[in-house]
Amino acid sequence: MSRPRTPLAVGAIAALLLAGCGGSDDGAVDGVSTPSATKGSAVSAERCKENEAAGKITYITGFQYQASAGILDPIAAKALGYFDALCLDVEIQPGTGETAQNAQLVAAGTAQISSIAGNGDVLVNVANGVDVQAVAMFGHVPVATLMTEPDITDLKQLEGTTLGQKGALPVTIEAMLRAAGVDVSKITQVEVGYDPTVLVRGQVQSLTGYKSNEPLTLQAKGEKVKLWNPEDYGVPGSIATTIVNPAFLKDHRSAVEDFLRAQLKAYAYCEDDAGECVADAAELSQAGYDTDHNVQVWQTESKLVDDSLPQGQVLGQIDDTAVRTEGDFLVRMGQIPAVPDLSTLVVPDLVTSLYADGQLVWPAP
């Protein structure tokens, strides 16, 4: 159900936050659950106390307040009052798009939880000595793509040309190029901003991006480009892996569980009302936030997530097999020397414990 997003409605929500722990469950109208921002309404008084003991939880987004999986859903969880209902004090900070930076902030304890592009990026960071744990993932397909002009018919044509990237070549794109027999050393890489028209203006001959972002921008401008997708070259990938600080997880597992519980509930809400959730993200962003584009980002990315969910798994579930598949491929491509110890890196039972008979448990047990 949509909620009116007026100053009065927002003020009413703020007032509800003054309620104490251990309140009632979400309200219901004709059997349809409606959001409630009452503090502690979705947990027992004991669990509320446990979650409050975790203190402020800083969550770093993958990139700014873009409406991607792993970004829009936590933003919505906060706006809808789901974190408050679970007695969680969550601060959402915008990430720069640098996955290594996010991982380092979480490992250092500067942030407790973060979204990172996918399992491959987690594996690369852990292989480089960054101590984080992976507790959830949303999509089972690479979200990264490589864009070229339509006249490129073979990736080897990119040798001797210039490739634009956002600070680092995505691991899935590099793996795709190598799998296609491209000598990556013969491609000049330059760091570019987030304006994809550098490709159609001829400033670069190929450009990394995300299926849910840059191609939509170019399409809206009437530009035609060709997308080269890693999965077409046998490259495994994933979308929006959630990483946590290991010490924080050890000390406050219930808080991490309930963070994900609220996020997953908000994910379902945003699938039904993308416009409202994107409006919440727009309020956090500075001027210039393109709401129409971001609705498209969310709809494209959530479809990728939903369409790639393996049969028999629940949304958000992460397992050793999926991570190992990506790790083994990265080893074969020479991007990491060995697959890290997955018994300590991956926490597969956290998300599955949030479900009963395939349904997210709300309120918390």
Side-chain angles (χ1 to χ4, degrees):
M1 296 178 63
S2 295
R3 295 178 296 116
R5 303 299 286 177
T6 63
L8 178 61
V10 173
I13 289 173
L16 284 173
L17 300 184
L18 299 176
C21 292
S24 61
D25 186 11
D26 280 357
V29 178
D30 295 331
V32 179
S33 178
T34 58
S36 169
T38 305
K39 186 177 181 182
S41 63
V43 286
S44 66
E46 180 180 359
R47 192 172 181 98
C48 181
K49 190 173 182 180
E50 289 179 7
N51 287 348
E52 287 183 328
K56 180 172 286 186
I57 299 171
T58 299
Y59 182 80
I60 307 287
T61 72
F63 174 66
Q64 300 295 328
Y65 300 115
Q66 181 171 277
S68 292
I71 301 178
L72 188 64
D73 28 332
I75 289 172
K78 187 172 178 68
L80 290 163
Y82 293 167
F83 289 137
D84 291 288
L86 295 165
C87 295
L88 295 173
D89 179 9
V90 177
E91 178 183 7
I92 297 176
Q93 294 185 358
T96 63
E98 290 281 352
T99 57
Q101 183 180 76
N102 281 28
Q104 289 164 4
L105 288 170
V106 171
T110 305
Q112 287 70 50
I113 310 177
S114 177
S115 173
I116 202 167
N119 294 337
D121 296 272
V122 178
L123 288 161
V124 169
N125 279 283
V126 172
N128 288 330
V130 181
D131 186 19
V132 295
Q133 288 181 291
V135 295
M137 64 173 282
F138 284 79
H140 294 254
V141 63
V143 70
T145 189
L146 184 68
M147 295 163 281
T148 69
E149 292 282 11
D151 60 351
I152 297 295
T153 58
D154 190 318
L155 285 172
K156 287 187 176 183
Q157 292 175 255
L158 298 181
E159 293 181 359
T161 67
T162 301
L163 177 151
Q165 38 94 329
K166 312 295 193 297
L169 187 62
V171 291
T172 53
I173 298 300
E174 182 174 350
M176 175 183 70
L177 292 170
R178 293 185 184 280
V182 177
D183 186 343
V184 178
S185 68
K186 293 183 180 179
I187 298 177
T188 301
Q189 296 185 40
V190 296
E191 184 173 347
V192 297
Y194 286 85
D195 177 8
T197 62
V198 296
L199 174 64
V200 295
R201 294 201 305 267
Q203 293 175 269
V204 296
Q205 287 67 57
S206 59
L207 178 69
T208 64
Y210 296 95
K211 297 166 186 168
S212 54
N213 191 10
E214 291 88 349
L216 300 176
T217 299
L218 292 172
Q219 182 180 5
K221 294 178 179 293
E223 301 287 356
K224 293 183 178 179
V225 296
K226 187 168 185 176
L227 303 186
W228 301 83
N229 295 321
E231 63 270 27
D232 295 333
Y233 289 79
V235 178
S238 46
I239 298 172
T241 301
T242 303
I243 56 173
V244 301
N245 177 280
F248 182 79
L249 176 60
K250 181 180 178 181
D251 293 341
H252 303 289
R253 181 174 172 117
S254 73
V256 176
E257 289 175 350
D258 287 342
F259 179 98
L260 292 171
R261 190 189 308 277
Q263 180 182 357
L264 289 162
K265 185 172 175 65
Y267 185 99
Y269 188 95
C270 293
E271 286 200 297
D272 291 335
D273 200 335
E276 179 182 334
C277 293
V278 169
D280 290 327
E283 288 185 15
L284 296 176
S285 185
Q286 295 180 351
Y289 192 86
D290 189 335
T291 54
D292 290 339
H293 172 73
N294 274 282
V295 167
Q296 286 188 306
V297 169
W298 171 254
Q299 291 173 337
T300 301
E301 202 155 310
S302 59
K303 187 176 188 304
L304 288 171
V305 169
D306 294 344
D307 288 351
S308 66
L309 183 63
Q311 187 174 4
Q313 290 197 14
V314 294
L315 181 66
Q317 183 173 342
I318 188 169
D319 62 83
D320 299 28
T321 301
V323 180
R324 181 167 293 283
T325 296
E326 291 189 54
D328 288 342
F329 191 88
L330 294 177
V331 171
R332 291 199 301 274
M333 293 294 104
Q335 292 177 316
I336 59 175
V339 178
D341 182 1
L342 299 185
S343 67
T344 57
L345 170 58
V346 179
V347 186
D349 63 333
L350 199 152
V351 166
T352 55
S353 72
L354 307 179
Y355 288 82
D357 298 323
Q359 299 297 315
L360 183 70
V361 175
W362 187 279

